[in-house]
């Protein structure tokens, strides 16, 4: 586009360049005896796929948590070598669940997964986005449809690493709709660095505020106009000021 706690289309492949090490995929199952209405823990099991090194299944005695996510003003989105878009993401929100990592309880590290049905990221429109100090043209619209939002939050250090995957739908009125761009990255409170785009986030503070950044590579789509206009393949960067609140489930 700071916080406590900026899906695969056949025509697009995105490779992310987070600064965390190369990760391997493991499957983790969460379970809880809590009667909370939290979407992840009120059901018998939730299956979470998350890329991690030495990821362990949380103990059945581990506490469960409710996690809320909100996006704020003064975010930025950049693509290719164009100047960044100034983006007001206020109003974005989502809820999810967290559980302590079995081998890391002393460090207060949680595995978290957000419910996609509750996750909303405001579109880029003339009312939310400016380019070179001017609002986007009224007919231009970029919708963001999240496909994955999950990862790790360290309550002690404030470090956040959240895998984020989304489709970006570009349209110009009713006369032009481009194939969706698939963006896949890790939104991190640390540094995210690509070849031409990079940014540094801020860890969660006591108020739950943080800045999450993520650089990603965007491959061409089956649309000559979009490929030419954006210079695909290229890189994009998101900087999201956010608020993440974590509370123990009852």
């Amino acid at each position: 586009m700071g916080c406590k706690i900026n899906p695969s289309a056949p025509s697009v492949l995105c490779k992310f360049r987070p600064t965390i090490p190369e990760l391997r995929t493991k499957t983790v199952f969460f379970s809880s005896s809590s009667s909370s209405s939290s979407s992840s823990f009120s059901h018998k099991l939730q299956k979470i796929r998350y890329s991690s090194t030495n990821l362990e299944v949380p103990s059945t005695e581990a506490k469960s948590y409710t996690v809320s996510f909100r996006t704020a003003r003064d975010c930025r989105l950049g693509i290719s070598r164009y100047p960044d878009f100034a983006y007001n993401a206020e109003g974005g929100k989502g809820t999810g669940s967290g559980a302590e990592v079995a081998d890391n309880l002393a460090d207060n590290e949680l595995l978290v997964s957000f419910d996609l049905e509750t996750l909303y990221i405001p579109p880029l429109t003339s009312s939310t986005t400016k380019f070179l100090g001017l609002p986007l043209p009224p007919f231009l619209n970029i919708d963001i449809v999240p496909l994955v939002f999950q990862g790790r939050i360290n309550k002690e250090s404030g470090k956040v690493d959240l895998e984020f995957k989304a489709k970006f739908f570009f349209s110009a009125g009713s006369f032009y709709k481009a194939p969706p761009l698939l963006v896949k990255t890790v939104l991190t409170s640390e540094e995210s660095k690509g070849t031409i785009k990079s940014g540094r986030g801020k860890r969660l503070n006591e108020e739950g505020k943080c800045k999450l950044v993520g650089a990603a590579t965007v491959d061409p789509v089956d649309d000559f106009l979009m490929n030419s206009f954006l210079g695909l393949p290229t890189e994009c960067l998101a900087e999201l000021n956010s608020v993440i609140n974590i509370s123990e489930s009852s």
Side-chain angles (χ1 to χ4, degrees), residues 6 11 16 21 24 26 30-31 41 44 46 57 68 70 80 84 99 126 134 144 148 161 190-191 194 212 224 241-242:
N6 269 216
S11 59
F16 64 90
R24 67 174 182 271
K26 298 183 72 175
F30 289 84
S31 64
F41 289 93
K44 47 189 176 181
Q46 177 183 2
V57 178
S68 67
R70 290 186 289 118
S80 189
D84 291 345
S126 60
L134 299 175
I144 304 172
V148 175
D161 288 311
E190 310 308 293
E191 183 182 22
L212 303 179
F224 176 79
N241 287 317
S242 310

Side-chain angles (χ1 to χ4, degrees), residues 13-238:
L13 289 176
C14 293
K15 303 175 282 299
F16 64 90
R17 292 189 174 96
T19 55
I20 58 177
E22 282 295 318
L23 308 173
R24 67 174 182 271
T25 300
K26 298 183 72 175
T27 301
V28 179
F29 293 89
F30 289 84
S31 64
S32 173
S33 59
S34 169
S35 59
S36 167
S37 60
S38 171
S39 59
S40 299
F41 289 93
S42 60
H43 297 83
K44 47 189 176 181
L45 282 175
Q46 177 183 2
K47 182 179 178 182
I48 295 180
R49 296 189 58 81
Y50 179 64
S51 298
S52 175
T53 55
N54 303 320
L55 189 63
E56 299 293 339
V57 178
S59 163
T60 56
E61 302 299 322
K63 296 176 182 178
S64 60
Y65 295 84
T66 298
V67 184
S68 67
F69 172 81
R70 290 186 289 118
T71 48
R73 293 175 174 270
D74 300 323
C75 302
R76 305 190 75 81
L77 292 173
I79 189 164
S80 189
R81 298 188 182 277
Y82 291 110
D84 291 345
F85 293 91
Y87 173 48
N88 177 7
E90 189 174 33
K93 60 183 179 179
T95 59
S97 298
E100 295 169 332
V101 180
D103 64 340
N104 224 341
L105 298 182
D107 291 335
N108 291 310
E109 188 169 63
L110 304 180
L111 294 178
V112 300
S113 179
F114 289 91
D115 181 359
L116 295 179
E117 293 185 0
T118 70
L119 189 59
Y120 168 71
I121 307 295
L124 280 71
T125 65
S126 60
S127 62
T128 64
T129 310
K130 292 184 177 181
F131 182 70
L132 296 176
L134 299 175
L136 289 184
F139 57 84
L140 186 62
N141 191 82
I142 305 172
D143 288 308
I144 304 172
V145 179
L147 301 176
V148 175
F149 196 37
Q150 61 190 23
R152 291 180 181 246
I153 298 173
N154 192 303
K155 295 193 299 174
E156 183 71 22
S157 67
K159 182 180 179 182
V160 181
D161 288 311
L162 297 174
E163 179 188 356
F164 179 73
K165 185 188 297 184
K167 286 182 177 180
F168 286 64
F169 291 86
F170 289 70
S171 61
S174 59
F175 57 87
Y176 176 71
K177 292 184 180 180
L181 298 180
L182 181 66
V183 175
K184 179 181 178 183
T185 188
V186 171
L187 291 173
T188 180
S189 59
E190 310 308 293
E191 183 182 22
S192 185
K193 189 173 183 179
T195 303
I196 62 174
K197 294 285 185 180
S198 63
R200 180 175 291 277
K202 294 180 181 178
R203 295 188 177 190
L204 286 169
N205 64 18
E206 293 182 354
E207 298 177 340
K209 296 179 180 180
C210 65
K211 181 167 78 171
L212 303 179
V213 301
T217 298
V218 185
D219 282 340
V221 295
D222 188 18
D223 186 284
F224 176 79
L225 180 61
M226 181 62 65
N227 292 340
S228 300
F229 178 68
L230 296 181
L232 301 179
T234 190
E235 286 183 356
C236 66
L237 178 72

